[in-house]
Amino acid sequence: MLESIIQSSRIELGKELAENGVASNQMDDVFGLAKDSILSNFKSSATGGDVNGILNLFNGKQSISGSPLVKNIIGDYSSQLISKLGFSNATAKSIAGIAIPFIMNMINKKTPDSGIPENDLLSMLGGSAFTGGKNSVLGKLKD
């Protein structure tokens, strides 16, 4: 799911990122790091016991701009842009502040209007939640 969301957002989001200092030859890396940051932060949040942070985000109980999880993803992504791609701090923060909320909004649009029932999310986060199986949270995001 995450891969298809990122692919579908490349044109619209890519234009905005280009206006904020991303060269066309950097786009693949910029989008790849966004996906990696989102997935690793979901995993860290869930394995660290913050299931509610993920649940609230997917169920629309917390705005994307007010979500501590999204703020963590933005911070991590910004750091990755600096360390791996050499962006300046200001440019990395700008890119992260645009890309992550955009992608998270796209994820929320793919979530059913009724949200994800807590029991379903909790079962998805159980034992093999992050092994990449089709029924895991990351498995569903990767599809």
mmCIF file of all heavy atoms in Angstrom, residues 81-133:
data_model
loop_
_atom_site.group_PDB
_atom_site.id
_atom_site.type_symbol
_atom_site.label_atom_id
_atom_site.label_comp_id
_atom_site.label_asym_id
_atom_site.label_seq_id
_atom_site.Cartn_x
_atom_site.Cartn_y
_atom_site.Cartn_z
ATOM 1 N N LEU A 81 17.631 12.767 5.243
ATOM 2 C CA LEU A 81 17.907 13.607 4.078
ATOM 3 C C LEU A 81 19.246 14.323 4.222
ATOM 4 O O LEU A 81 19.987 14.481 3.241
ATOM 5 C CB LEU A 81 16.783 14.629 3.873
ATOM 6 C CG LEU A 81 15.439 14.069 3.416
ATOM 7 C CD1 LEU A 81 14.355 15.132 3.527
ATOM 8 C CD2 LEU A 81 15.533 13.534 1.984
ATOM 9 N N ILE A 82 19.565 14.736 5.426
ATOM 10 C CA ILE A 82 20.832 15.420 5.687
ATOM 11 C C ILE A 82 21.998 14.436 5.600
ATOM 12 O O ILE A 82 22.973 14.669 4.875
ATOM 13 C CB ILE A 82 20.803 16.109 7.073
ATOM 14 C CG1 ILE A 82 19.793 17.249 7.071
ATOM 15 C CG2 ILE A 82 22.200 16.613 7.460
ATOM 16 C CD1 ILE A 82 19.445 17.780 8.454
ATOM 17 N N SER A 83 21.883 13.326 6.335
ATOM 18 C CA SER A 83 23.017 12.399 6.433
ATOM 19 C C SER A 83 23.253 11.574 5.173
ATOM 20 O O SER A 83 24.386 11.295 4.821
ATOM 21 C CB SER A 83 22.852 11.470 7.641
ATOM 22 O OG SER A 83 21.758 10.601 7.476
ATOM 23 N N LYS A 84 22.189 11.190 4.479
ATOM 24 C CA LYS A 84 22.352 10.302 3.331
ATOM 25 C C LYS A 84 22.388 11.021 1.993
ATOM 26 O O LYS A 84 22.986 10.527 1.043
ATOM 27 C CB LYS A 84 21.257 9.251 3.321
ATOM 28 C CG LYS A 84 21.386 8.295 4.503
ATOM 29 C CD LYS A 84 20.403 7.173 4.441
ATOM 30 C CE LYS A 84 20.659 6.240 5.628
ATOM 31 N NZ LYS A 84 19.739 5.127 5.662
ATOM 32 N N LEU A 85 21.737 12.185 1.918
ATOM 33 C CA LEU A 85 21.670 12.877 0.622
ATOM 34 C C LEU A 85 22.345 14.243 0.631
ATOM 35 O O LEU A 85 22.400 14.910 -0.398
ATOM 36 C CB LEU A 85 20.213 13.004 0.168
ATOM 37 C CG LEU A 85 19.469 11.685 -0.050
ATOM 38 C CD1 LEU A 85 18.047 11.939 -0.517
ATOM 39 C CD2 LEU A 85 20.205 10.788 -1.036
ATOM 40 N N GLY A 86 22.807 14.682 1.807
ATOM 41 C CA GLY A 86 23.570 15.917 1.883
ATOM 42 C C GLY A 86 22.773 17.207 1.807
ATOM 43 O O GLY A 86 23.342 18.265 1.540
ATOM 44 N N PHE A 87 21.478 17.151 2.052
ATOM 45 C CA PHE A 87 20.685 18.377 2.056
ATOM 46 C C PHE A 87 21.061 19.227 3.267
ATOM 47 O O PHE A 87 21.455 18.707 4.310
ATOM 48 C CB PHE A 87 19.184 18.064 2.101
ATOM 49 C CG PHE A 87 18.625 17.575 0.794
ATOM 50 C CD1 PHE A 87 18.365 16.229 0.600
ATOM 51 C CD2 PHE A 87 18.358 18.464 -0.242
ATOM 52 C CE1 PHE A 87 17.850 15.769 -0.600
ATOM 53 C CE2 PHE A 87 17.840 18.011 -1.442
ATOM 54 C CZ PHE A 87 17.593 16.664 -1.622
ATOM 55 N N SER A 88 20.896 20.526 3.130
ATOM 56 C CA SER A 88 21.103 21.411 4.277
ATOM 57 C C SER A 88 19.985 21.171 5.281
ATOM 58 O O SER A 88 18.925 20.633 4.933
ATOM 59 C CB SER A 88 21.084 22.879 3.832
ATOM 60 O OG SER A 88 19.765 23.261 3.463
ATOM 61 N N ASN A 89 20.193 21.584 6.506
ATOM 62 C CA ASN A 89 19.193 21.419 7.549
ATOM 63 C C ASN A 89 17.873 22.081 7.147
ATOM 64 O O ASN A 89 16.804 21.489 7.275
ATOM 65 C CB ASN A 89 19.717 21.989 8.869
ATOM 66 C CG ASN A 89 18.793 21.706 10.030
ATOM 67 O OD1 ASN A 89 18.289 20.598 10.178
ATOM 68 N ND2 ASN A 89 18.582 22.711 10.861
ATOM 69 N N ALA A 90 17.946 23.307 6.655
ATOM 70 C CA ALA A 90 16.736 24.046 6.279
ATOM 71 C C ALA A 90 15.990 23.363 5.135
ATOM 72 O O ALA A 90 14.761 23.235 5.165
ATOM 73 C CB ALA A 90 17.086 25.480 5.897
ATOM 74 N N THR A 91 16.736 22.908 4.120
ATOM 75 C CA THR A 91 16.105 22.245 2.980
ATOM 76 C C THR A 91 15.494 20.914 3.401
ATOM 77 O O THR A 91 14.368 20.586 3.008
ATOM 78 C CB THR A 91 17.118 22.032 1.840
ATOM 79 O OG1 THR A 91 17.634 23.311 1.439
ATOM 80 C CG2 THR A 91 16.486 21.348 0.640
ATOM 81 N N ALA A 92 16.212 20.160 4.226
ATOM 82 C CA ALA A 92 15.712 18.866 4.689
ATOM 83 C C ALA A 92 14.429 19.041 5.499
ATOM 84 O O ALA A 92 13.466 18.279 5.322
ATOM 85 C CB ALA A 92 16.775 18.149 5.512
ATOM 86 N N LYS A 93 14.405 20.033 6.374
ATOM 87 C CA LYS A 93 13.195 20.277 7.167
ATOM 88 C C LYS A 93 12.029 20.675 6.274
ATOM 89 O O LYS A 93 10.896 20.271 6.504
ATOM 90 C CB LYS A 93 13.451 21.355 8.219
ATOM 91 C CG LYS A 93 14.249 20.866 9.393
ATOM 92 C CD LYS A 93 14.427 21.945 10.437
ATOM 93 C CE LYS A 93 15.169 21.405 11.638
ATOM 94 N NZ LYS A 93 15.362 22.423 12.678
ATOM 95 N N SER A 94 12.307 21.454 5.257
ATOM 96 C CA SER A 94 11.266 21.872 4.326
ATOM 97 C C SER A 94 10.709 20.669 3.559
ATOM 98 O O SER A 94 9.495 20.494 3.463
ATOM 99 C CB SER A 94 11.826 22.911 3.357
ATOM 100 O OG SER A 94 10.866 23.270 2.398
ATOM 101 N N ILE A 95 11.604 19.845 3.034
ATOM 102 C CA ILE A 95 11.192 18.655 2.283
ATOM 103 C C ILE A 95 10.368 17.725 3.178
ATOM 104 O O ILE A 95 9.289 17.274 2.799
ATOM 105 C CB ILE A 95 12.428 17.916 1.722
ATOM 106 C CG1 ILE A 95 13.119 18.767 0.656
ATOM 107 C CG2 ILE A 95 12.039 16.544 1.167
ATOM 108 C CD1 ILE A 95 14.502 18.267 0.267
ATOM 109 N N ALA A 96 10.883 17.457 4.368
ATOM 110 C CA ALA A 96 10.192 16.542 5.297
ATOM 111 C C ALA A 96 8.840 17.096 5.710
ATOM 112 O O ALA A 96 7.864 16.355 5.819
ATOM 113 C CB ALA A 96 11.067 16.277 6.517
ATOM 114 N N GLY A 97 8.774 18.394 5.932
ATOM 115 C CA GLY A 97 7.531 19.035 6.348
ATOM 116 C C GLY A 97 6.463 19.042 5.265
ATOM 117 O O GLY A 97 5.275 19.200 5.556
ATOM 118 N N ILE A 98 6.886 18.864 4.036
ATOM 119 C CA ILE A 98 5.946 18.778 2.913
ATOM 120 C C ILE A 98 5.600 17.316 2.618
ATOM 121 O O ILE A 98 4.433 16.948 2.516
ATOM 122 C CB ILE A 98 6.555 19.431 1.649
ATOM 123 C CG1 ILE A 98 6.724 20.938 1.861
ATOM 124 C CG2 ILE A 98 5.708 19.134 0.417
ATOM 125 C CD1 ILE A 98 7.602 21.607 0.808
ATOM 126 N N ALA A 99 6.625 16.487 2.482
ATOM 127 C CA ALA A 99 6.434 15.117 1.999
ATOM 128 C C ALA A 99 5.696 14.219 2.979
ATOM 129 O O ALA A 99 4.753 13.514 2.584
ATOM 130 C CB ALA A 99 7.788 14.490 1.645
ATOM 131 N N ILE A 100 6.106 14.218 4.238
ATOM 132 C CA ILE A 100 5.512 13.273 5.186
ATOM 133 C C ILE A 100 4.030 13.566 5.421
ATOM 134 O O ILE A 100 3.204 12.644 5.321
ATOM 135 C CB ILE A 100 6.319 13.210 6.494
ATOM 136 C CG1 ILE A 100 7.754 12.707 6.223
ATOM 137 C CG2 ILE A 100 5.605 12.355 7.545
ATOM 138 C CD1 ILE A 100 7.855 11.352 5.551
ATOM 139 N N PRO A 101 3.630 14.803 5.704
ATOM 140 C CA PRO A 101 2.178 15.046 5.844
ATOM 141 C C PRO A 101 1.393 14.691 4.584
ATOM 142 O O PRO A 101 0.287 14.157 4.668
ATOM 143 C CB PRO A 101 2.088 16.542 6.157
ATOM 144 C CG PRO A 101 3.396 16.860 6.806
ATOM 145 C CD PRO A 101 4.397 16.000 6.068
ATOM 146 N N PHE A 102 1.964 14.967 3.421
ATOM 147 C CA PHE A 102 1.292 14.627 2.167
ATOM 148 C C PHE A 102 1.060 13.118 2.077
ATOM 149 O O PHE A 102 -0.051 12.663 1.787
ATOM 150 C CB PHE A 102 2.142 15.107 0.979
ATOM 151 C CG PHE A 102 1.480 14.910 -0.357
ATOM 152 C CD1 PHE A 102 0.751 15.935 -0.934
ATOM 153 C CD2 PHE A 102 1.581 13.701 -1.045
ATOM 154 C CE1 PHE A 102 0.136 15.762 -2.168
ATOM 155 C CE2 PHE A 102 0.968 13.514 -2.271
ATOM 156 C CZ PHE A 102 0.244 14.548 -2.836
ATOM 157 N N ILE A 103 2.099 12.337 2.334
ATOM 158 C CA ILE A 103 1.997 10.882 2.249
ATOM 159 C C ILE A 103 1.051 10.340 3.326
ATOM 160 O O ILE A 103 0.236 9.453 3.058
ATOM 161 C CB ILE A 103 3.394 10.230 2.340
ATOM 162 C CG1 ILE A 103 4.223 10.603 1.094
ATOM 163 C CG2 ILE A 103 3.277 8.716 2.486
ATOM 164 C CD1 ILE A 103 5.701 10.276 1.201
ATOM 165 N N MET A 104 1.132 10.888 4.531
ATOM 166 C CA MET A 104 0.254 10.426 5.600
ATOM 167 C C MET A 104 -1.212 10.731 5.268
ATOM 168 O O MET A 104 -2.094 9.931 5.560
ATOM 169 C CB MET A 104 0.639 11.053 6.942
ATOM 170 C CG MET A 104 2.047 10.679 7.414
ATOM 171 S SD MET A 104 2.382 8.909 7.460
ATOM 172 C CE MET A 104 1.343 8.417 8.799
ATOM 173 N N ASN A 105 -1.473 11.861 4.654
ATOM 174 C CA ASN A 105 -2.835 12.174 4.207
ATOM 175 C C ASN A 105 -3.308 11.165 3.165
ATOM 176 O O ASN A 105 -4.472 10.764 3.165
ATOM 177 C CB ASN A 105 -2.917 13.595 3.654
ATOM 178 C CG ASN A 105 -3.113 14.630 4.725
ATOM 179 O OD1 ASN A 105 -3.838 14.422 5.688
ATOM 180 N ND2 ASN A 105 -2.449 15.761 4.583
ATOM 181 N N MET A 106 -2.405 10.773 2.286
ATOM 182 C CA MET A 106 -2.753 9.780 1.271
ATOM 183 C C MET A 106 -3.066 8.436 1.930
ATOM 184 O O MET A 106 -3.996 7.749 1.519
ATOM 185 C CB MET A 106 -1.621 9.623 0.250
ATOM 186 C CG MET A 106 -1.347 10.871 -0.571
ATOM 187 S SD MET A 106 -2.681 11.311 -1.684
ATOM 188 C CE MET A 106 -2.538 10.027 -2.898
ATOM 189 N N ILE A 107 -2.303 8.060 2.959
ATOM 190 C CA ILE A 107 -2.580 6.815 3.683
ATOM 191 C C ILE A 107 -3.962 6.885 4.321
ATOM 192 O O ILE A 107 -4.745 5.943 4.244
ATOM 193 C CB ILE A 107 -1.497 6.529 4.746
ATOM 194 C CG1 ILE A 107 -0.167 6.196 4.070
ATOM 195 C CG2 ILE A 107 -1.928 5.392 5.676
ATOM 196 C CD1 ILE A 107 1.010 6.107 5.020
ATOM 197 N N ASN A 108 -4.247 8.027 4.954
ATOM 198 C CA ASN A 108 -5.556 8.181 5.601
ATOM 199 C C ASN A 108 -6.696 8.098 4.594
ATOM 200 O O ASN A 108 -7.772 7.595 4.915
ATOM 201 C CB ASN A 108 -5.631 9.490 6.388
ATOM 202 C CG ASN A 108 -5.028 9.345 7.758
ATOM 203 O OD1 ASN A 108 -4.881 8.242 8.278
ATOM 204 N ND2 ASN A 108 -4.660 10.448 8.358
ATOM 205 N N LYS A 109 -6.484 8.583 3.394
ATOM 206 C CA LYS A 109 -7.525 8.492 2.365
ATOM 207 C C LYS A 109 -7.785 7.047 1.963
ATOM 208 O O LYS A 109 -8.880 6.714 1.532
ATOM 209 C CB LYS A 109 -7.130 9.310 1.127
ATOM 210 C CG LYS A 109 -7.227 10.801 1.343
ATOM 211 C CD LYS A 109 -6.800 11.557 0.112
ATOM 212 C CE LYS A 109 -6.835 13.053 0.375
ATOM 213 N NZ LYS A 109 -6.361 13.823 -0.786
ATOM 214 N N LYS A 110 -6.785 6.183 2.119
ATOM 215 C CA LYS A 110 -6.931 4.764 1.782
ATOM 216 C C LYS A 110 -7.541 3.967 2.929
ATOM 217 O O LYS A 110 -7.934 2.827 2.753
ATOM 218 C CB LYS A 110 -5.569 4.149 1.431
ATOM 219 C CG LYS A 110 -4.927 4.741 0.208
ATOM 220 C CD LYS A 110 -5.530 4.172 -1.026
ATOM 221 C CE LYS A 110 -4.772 4.675 -2.252
ATOM 222 N NZ LYS A 110 -5.304 4.143 -3.472
ATOM 223 N N THR A 111 -7.617 4.580 4.121
ATOM 224 C CA THR A 111 -8.205 3.913 5.281
ATOM 225 C C THR A 111 -9.717 4.016 5.171
ATOM 226 O O THR A 111 -10.244 5.063 4.821
ATOM 227 C CB THR A 111 -7.724 4.599 6.580
ATOM 228 O OG1 THR A 111 -6.299 4.547 6.623
ATOM 229 C CG2 THR A 111 -8.285 3.923 7.810
ATOM 230 N N PRO A 112 -10.443 2.939 5.480
ATOM 231 C CA PRO A 112 -11.915 3.004 5.413
ATOM 232 C C PRO A 112 -12.457 4.147 6.270
ATOM 233 O O PRO A 112 -11.871 4.503 7.290
ATOM 234 C CB PRO A 112 -12.360 1.659 5.981
ATOM 235 C CG PRO A 112 -11.166 0.769 5.890
ATOM 236 C CD PRO A 112 -9.959 1.661 5.946
ATOM 237 N N ASP A 113 -13.581 4.725 5.844
ATOM 238 C CA ASP A 113 -14.202 5.821 6.591
ATOM 239 C C ASP A 113 -14.471 5.452 8.040
ATOM 240 O O ASP A 113 -14.422 6.299 8.923
ATOM 241 C CB ASP A 113 -15.511 6.266 5.924
ATOM 242 C CG ASP A 113 -15.268 7.012 4.627
ATOM 243 O OD1 ASP A 113 -14.139 7.512 4.426
ATOM 244 O OD2 ASP A 113 -16.204 7.084 3.815
ATOM 245 N N SER A 114 -14.754 4.197 8.278
ATOM 246 C CA SER A 114 -15.021 3.751 9.640
ATOM 247 C C SER A 114 -13.746 3.583 10.452
ATOM 248 O O SER A 114 -13.797 3.302 11.642
ATOM 249 C CB SER A 114 -15.786 2.422 9.606
ATOM 250 O OG SER A 114 -15.010 1.441 8.939
ATOM 251 N N GLY A 115 -12.599 3.758 9.814
ATOM 252 C CA GLY A 115 -11.326 3.587 10.497
ATOM 253 C C GLY A 115 -10.969 2.116 10.596
ATOM 254 O O GLY A 115 -11.578 1.262 9.981
ATOM 255 N N ILE A 116 -9.952 1.842 11.371
ATOM 256 C CA ILE A 116 -9.519 0.481 11.603
ATOM 257 C C ILE A 116 -9.948 0.113 13.013
ATOM 258 O O ILE A 116 -9.550 0.791 13.961
ATOM 259 C CB ILE A 116 -7.987 0.347 11.464
ATOM 260 C CG1 ILE A 116 -7.552 0.708 10.054
ATOM 261 C CG2 ILE A 116 -7.522 -1.055 11.836
ATOM 262 C CD1 ILE A 116 -6.056 0.761 9.859
ATOM 263 N N PRO A 117 -10.753 -0.923 13.171
ATOM 264 C CA PRO A 117 -11.145 -1.320 14.525
ATOM 265 C C PRO A 117 -9.920 -1.650 15.374
ATOM 266 O O PRO A 117 -8.949 -2.221 14.878
ATOM 267 C CB PRO A 117 -12.015 -2.561 14.302
ATOM 268 C CG PRO A 117 -12.469 -2.461 12.892
ATOM 269 C CD PRO A 117 -11.358 -1.757 12.154
ATOM 270 N N GLU A 118 -9.975 -1.274 16.641
ATOM 271 C CA GLU A 118 -8.830 -1.483 17.530
ATOM 272 C C GLU A 118 -8.399 -2.939 17.561
ATOM 273 O O GLU A 118 -7.208 -3.239 17.496
ATOM 274 C CB GLU A 118 -9.172 -1.006 18.932
ATOM 275 C CG GLU A 118 -7.985 -1.082 19.877
ATOM 276 C CD GLU A 118 -8.261 -0.408 21.205
ATOM 277 O OE1 GLU A 118 -9.320 0.210 21.382
ATOM 278 O OE2 GLU A 118 -7.387 -0.517 22.079
ATOM 279 N N ASN A 119 -9.356 -3.860 17.637
ATOM 280 C CA ASN A 119 -8.997 -5.277 17.672
ATOM 281 C C ASN A 119 -8.262 -5.705 16.414
ATOM 282 O O ASN A 119 -7.337 -6.500 16.470
ATOM 283 C CB ASN A 119 -10.232 -6.144 17.895
ATOM 284 C CG ASN A 119 -10.794 -6.000 19.289
ATOM 285 O OD1 ASN A 119 -10.105 -5.577 20.212
ATOM 286 N ND2 ASN A 119 -12.057 -6.350 19.441
ATOM 287 N N ASP A 120 -8.681 -5.183 15.256
ATOM 288 C CA ASP A 120 -7.995 -5.514 14.007
ATOM 289 C C ASP A 120 -6.576 -4.978 14.006
ATOM 290 O O ASP A 120 -5.642 -5.668 13.606
ATOM 291 C CB ASP A 120 -8.755 -4.963 12.796
ATOM 292 C CG ASP A 120 -10.056 -5.688 12.528
ATOM 293 O OD1 ASP A 120 -10.320 -6.713 13.193
ATOM 294 O OD2 ASP A 120 -10.817 -5.214 11.665
ATOM 295 N N LEU A 121 -6.425 -3.728 14.450
ATOM 296 C CA LEU A 121 -5.088 -3.153 14.490
ATOM 297 C C LEU A 121 -4.218 -3.909 15.477
ATOM 298 O O LEU A 121 -3.074 -4.237 15.173
ATOM 299 C CB LEU A 121 -5.133 -1.662 14.852
ATOM 300 C CG LEU A 121 -3.760 -0.982 14.889
ATOM 301 C CD1 LEU A 121 -3.097 -1.005 13.522
ATOM 302 C CD2 LEU A 121 -3.891 0.441 15.379
ATOM 303 N N LEU A 122 -4.754 -4.204 16.638
ATOM 304 C CA LEU A 122 -3.980 -4.920 17.644
ATOM 305 C C LEU A 122 -3.582 -6.304 17.153
ATOM 306 O O LEU A 122 -2.460 -6.741 17.389
ATOM 307 C CB LEU A 122 -4.757 -5.011 18.961
ATOM 308 C CG LEU A 122 -4.949 -3.690 19.688
ATOM 309 C CD1 LEU A 122 -5.840 -3.873 20.906
ATOM 310 C CD2 LEU A 122 -3.613 -3.083 20.098
ATOM 311 N N SER A 123 -4.471 -6.979 16.438
ATOM 312 C CA SER A 123 -4.101 -8.293 15.917
ATOM 313 C C SER A 123 -3.051 -8.160 14.812
ATOM 314 O O SER A 123 -2.162 -8.998 14.700
ATOM 315 C CB SER A 123 -5.321 -9.067 15.430
ATOM 316 O OG SER A 123 -5.860 -8.491 14.278
ATOM 317 N N MET A 124 -3.160 -7.104 14.012
ATOM 318 C CA MET A 124 -2.139 -6.877 12.988
ATOM 319 C C MET A 124 -0.791 -6.567 13.623
ATOM 320 O O MET A 124 0.246 -6.871 13.058
ATOM 321 C CB MET A 124 -2.539 -5.729 12.059
ATOM 322 C CG MET A 124 -3.621 -6.086 11.079
ATOM 323 S SD MET A 124 -3.905 -4.785 9.860
ATOM 324 C CE MET A 124 -4.673 -3.513 10.822
ATOM 325 N N LEU A 125 -0.802 -5.934 14.795
ATOM 326 C CA LEU A 125 0.437 -5.577 15.476
ATOM 327 C C LEU A 125 0.993 -6.718 16.313
ATOM 328 O O LEU A 125 2.069 -6.606 16.870
ATOM 329 C CB LEU A 125 0.218 -4.358 16.383
ATOM 330 C CG LEU A 125 -0.112 -3.065 15.678
ATOM 331 C CD1 LEU A 125 -0.458 -1.984 16.684
ATOM 332 C CD2 LEU A 125 1.031 -2.627 14.790
ATOM 333 N N GLY A 126 0.267 -7.823 16.374
ATOM 334 C CA GLY A 126 0.695 -8.970 17.168
ATOM 335 C C GLY A 126 1.902 -9.655 16.568
ATOM 336 O O GLY A 126 2.445 -9.254 15.555
ATOM 337 N N GLY A 127 2.313 -10.726 17.199
ATOM 338 C CA GLY A 127 3.498 -11.512 16.890
ATOM 339 C C GLY A 127 4.229 -11.235 15.602
ATOM 340 O O GLY A 127 5.394 -10.908 15.617
ATOM 341 N N SER A 128 3.575 -11.383 14.473
ATOM 342 C CA SER A 128 4.277 -11.240 13.198
ATOM 343 C C SER A 128 3.956 -9.923 12.512
ATOM 344 O O SER A 128 4.077 -9.801 11.308
ATOM 345 C CB SER A 128 3.909 -12.398 12.274
ATOM 346 O OG SER A 128 2.531 -12.354 11.986
ATOM 347 N N ALA A 129 3.585 -8.931 13.286
ATOM 348 C CA ALA A 129 3.148 -7.666 12.695
ATOM 349 C C ALA A 129 4.191 -7.044 11.800
ATOM 350 O O ALA A 129 3.863 -6.390 10.828
ATOM 351 C CB ALA A 129 2.755 -6.677 13.784
ATOM 352 N N PHE A 130 5.444 -7.244 12.111
ATOM 353 C CA PHE A 130 6.468 -6.558 11.328
ATOM 354 C C PHE A 130 7.395 -7.507 10.598
ATOM 355 O O PHE A 130 8.498 -7.154 10.230
ATOM 356 C CB PHE A 130 7.255 -5.612 12.240
ATOM 357 C CG PHE A 130 6.361 -4.544 12.772
ATOM 358 C CD1 PHE A 130 5.894 -4.586 14.063
ATOM 359 C CD2 PHE A 130 5.934 -3.512 11.963
ATOM 360 C CE1 PHE A 130 5.028 -3.611 14.541
ATOM 361 C CE2 PHE A 130 5.066 -2.542 12.430
ATOM 362 C CZ PHE A 130 4.629 -2.596 13.722
ATOM 363 N N THR A 131 6.935 -8.719 10.365
ATOM 364 C CA THR A 131 7.744 -9.670 9.627
ATOM 365 C C THR A 131 7.537 -9.542 8.128
ATOM 366 O O THR A 131 8.214 -10.210 7.356
ATOM 367 C CB THR A 131 7.430 -11.113 10.061
ATOM 368 O OG1 THR A 131 6.065 -11.379 9.774
ATOM 369 C CG2 THR A 131 7.733 -11.323 11.533
ATOM 370 N N GLY A 132 6.603 -8.705 7.744
ATOM 371 C CA GLY A 132 6.369 -8.493 6.321
ATOM 372 C C GLY A 132 5.301 -9.383 5.738
ATOM 373 O O GLY A 132 5.086 -9.377 4.543
ATOM 374 N N GLY A 133 4.630 -10.178 6.571
ATOM 375 C CA GLY A 133 3.536 -11.014 6.081
ATOM 376 C C GLY A 133 2.412 -10.160 5.521
ATOM 377 O O GLY A 133 2.267 -8.991 5.861
#
